[in-house]
């Protein structure tokens, strides 16, 4: 994904919440926030790397998903 990076700095993000579109089987992602950034992680492996987006890239990503649904 263009404009995204991976980090293991899980502790930098707060307010993790599960996606409203997560599957019942546990195939879930969680979204957290940090100043200027949004992080996405696997809810089954919370200590794994976090996919990090700038807030503007995240807004573009979400807008694209909404357009295509």
């Amino acid at each position: 994904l263009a404009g995204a990076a991976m980090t293991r700095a899980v502790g930098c993000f707060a307010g993790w919440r599960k996606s409203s579109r997560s599957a019942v089987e546990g195939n879930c992602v969680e979204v957290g926030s940090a100043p200027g950034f949004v992080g996405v992680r696997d809810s089954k492996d919370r200590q794994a790397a976090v996919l990090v987006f700038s807030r503007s890239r995240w807004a573009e990503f979400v807008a694209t998903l909404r357009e295509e649904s």
Side-chain angles (χ1 to χ4, degrees), residues 6-7 9-11 13-19 22 27-32 38-53 58:
M6 297 291 283
T7 182
V10 176
F13 294 89
W16 289 102
R17 62 193 184 282
K18 198 173 284 189
S19 168
S22 293
N27 298 325
C28 306
V29 296
E30 295 178 328
V31 178
V38 174
V40 180
R41 70 181 180 185
D42 182 346
S43 65
K44 296 181 304 299
D45 190 3
R46 292 181 172 151
Q47 298 307 312
V50 175
L51 184 60
V52 180
F53 295 88
W58 180 253

Side-chain angles (χ1 to χ4, degrees), residues 45-69:
D45 190 3
R46 292 181 172 151
Q47 298 307 312
V50 175
L51 184 60
V52 180
F53 295 88
S54 68
R55 290 198 178 274
S56 61
R57 288 287 186 197
W58 180 253
E60 290 175 33
F61 174 69
V62 171
T64 300
L65 291 177
R66 288 183 177 149
E67 289 171 7
E68 294 179 5
S69 61

